[in-house]
């Protein structure tokens, strides 16, 4: 499997005017082909690279790279190359990448909104993620809600990486004993970043 590579797209094929093939001496038998290269990852074009091209004589089959072109031919080649526009699909990868970023921003915003909602309207079973005094991370599970208080059972385990916190969120890790917090205390802990996320199934 090729992870990264380059490909190319044909942009234009234009017949030259008033050019004589230096190889077979026929006039107007030369075509200028323009293509644009692109980088691809997993065969998805990510972004376009430079344009290039060559000429092709339909009569004698001679092809010339830009370096080999006689001056008059090179002039026409440069004009055509300058005007040739590449297909938009060569930007596919960039577009996908942009969409992923938009989605990530949306998800993160949605998560913050949810946490705010769970904070003001707590429900039994909510999982509170918090940072412990020693810098490790753990969770609490909401077991009971009263008018002004929350009762949570602490997770017996802690984990050093915030991103791995889901690994310790297992039923058997929660102790029988619950701790009570007033709702305003919890809001304060969230403000201070001690409780940094609340999840609900
Ligand atoms: Zn020719």
């Amino acid at each position: 499997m090729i992870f990264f590579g380059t490909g190319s797209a044909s942009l234009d094929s234009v017949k030259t005017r008033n050019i004589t093939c230096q190889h077979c001496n026929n006039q107007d038998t030369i075509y200028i082909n323009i293509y644009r290269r692109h980088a691809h990852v997993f065969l998805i074009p990510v972004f376009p690279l430079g344009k290039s091209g060559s000429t092709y004589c339909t009569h004698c089959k001679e092809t010339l790279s830009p370096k080999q072109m006689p001056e008059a031919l090179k002039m026409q080649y440069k004009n055509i190359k300058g005007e040739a526009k590449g297909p938009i699909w060569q930007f596919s990868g960039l577009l996908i990448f942009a969409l992923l970023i938009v989605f990530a921003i949306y998800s993160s915003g949605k998560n913050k909104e949810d946490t705010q909602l769970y904070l003001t309207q707590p429900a039994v079973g909510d999982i509170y993620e918090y940072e412990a005094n020693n810098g490790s991370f753990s969770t609490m599970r909401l077991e009971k809600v009263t008018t002004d208080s929350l009762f949570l059972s602490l997770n017996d385990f802690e984990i050093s990486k915030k991103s791995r916190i889901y690994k310790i969120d297992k039923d058997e890790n929660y102790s029988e004993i619950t701790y009570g917090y007033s709702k305003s205390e919890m809001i304060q802990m969230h403000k201070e970043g001690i409780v940094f996320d609340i999840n609900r199934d």
Side-chain angles (χ1 to χ4, degrees), residues 107-155:
S107 306
S108 132
K110 179 83 171 64
N111 187 50
K112 274 186 191 145
E113 240 173 61
D114 287 347
T115 298
Q116 208 56 46
L117 179 78
Y118 303 158
L119 203 57
T120 50
Q121 294 168 36
V124 167
D126 284 355
I127 303 295
Y128 289 62
E129 298 182 350
Y130 71 96
E131 186 172 352
N133 289 334
N134 59 8
S136 289
F137 303 94
S138 192
T139 59
M140 300 183 275
R141 191 173 63 192
L142 189 57
E143 305 293 346
K144 195 178 145 197
V145 186
T146 63
T147 328
D148 56 4
S149 293
L150 305 169
F151 296 89
L152 302 108
S153 65
L154 299 185
N155 193 315

Side-chain angles (χ1 to χ4, degrees), residues 20-26 29-30 56-62:
T20 305
C21 176
Q22 59 181 4
H23 189 246
C24 69
N25 285 321
N26 279 291
T29 55
I30 293 180
Y56 175 73
C57 175
T58 51
H59 186 257
C60 70
K61 318 291 184 205
E62 187 187 55

Side-chain angles (χ1 to χ4, degrees), residues 35-189:
Y35 55 90
R36 188 167 71 178
R37 299 193 318 127
H38 58 255
H40 60 68
V41 177
F42 289 115
L43 300 178
I44 298 169
V46 183
F47 51 83
L49 301 166
K51 286 188 280 191
S52 191
S54 60
T55 62
Y56 175 73
C57 175
T58 51
H59 186 257
C60 70
K61 318 291 184 205
E62 187 187 55
T63 64
L64 296 175
S65 69
K67 272 184 195 164
Q68 299 168 314
M69 293 174 199
E71 208 47 45
L73 182 56
K74 203 169 191 170
M75 289 262 292
Q76 290 195 22
Y77 162 74
K78 278 185 175 167
N79 279 336
I80 291 163
K81 184 182 145 196
E83 284 165 16
K85 296 249 185 333
I88 200 80
W89 59 255
Q90 286 188 314
F91 287 99
S92 303
L94 280 188
L95 193 70
I96 291 168
F97 189 60
L99 285 175
L100 283 177
I101 290 175
V102 167
F103 180 72
I105 290 171
Y106 167 79
S107 306
S108 132
K110 179 83 171 64
N111 187 50
K112 274 186 191 145
E113 240 173 61
D114 287 347
T115 298
Q116 208 56 46
L117 179 78
Y118 303 158
L119 203 57
T120 50
Q121 294 168 36
V124 167
D126 284 355
I127 303 295
Y128 289 62
E129 298 182 350
Y130 71 96
E131 186 172 352
N133 289 334
N134 59 8
S136 289
F137 303 94
S138 192
T139 59
M140 300 183 275
R141 191 173 63 192
L142 189 57
E143 305 293 346
K144 195 178 145 197
V145 186
T146 63
T147 328
D148 56 4
S149 293
L150 305 169
F151 296 89
L152 302 108
S153 65
L154 299 185
N155 193 315
D156 287 332
F157 294 84
E158 289 181 348
I159 197 153
S160 58
K161 276 193 177 156
K162 204 176 190 174
S163 58
R164 302 275 166 81
I165 204 163
Y166 65 92
K167 285 193 169 177
I168 58 166
D169 178 27
K170 291 176 186 159
D171 272 348
E172 63 266 29
N173 291 356
Y174 292 97
S175 64
E176 300 283 309
I177 310 151
T178 58
Y179 292 81
Y181 296 95
S182 71
K183 282 184 179 170
S184 56
E185 245 179 322
M186 188 56 81
I187 288 167
Q188 189 57 31
M189 286 201 292

Side-chain angles (χ1 to χ4, degrees), residues 11-24:
L11 306 187
D12 226 344
S13 185
V14 180
K15 195 179 184 184
T16 54
R17 272 170 301 179
N18 307 318
I19 299 280
T20 305
C21 176
Q22 59 181 4
H23 189 246
C24 69

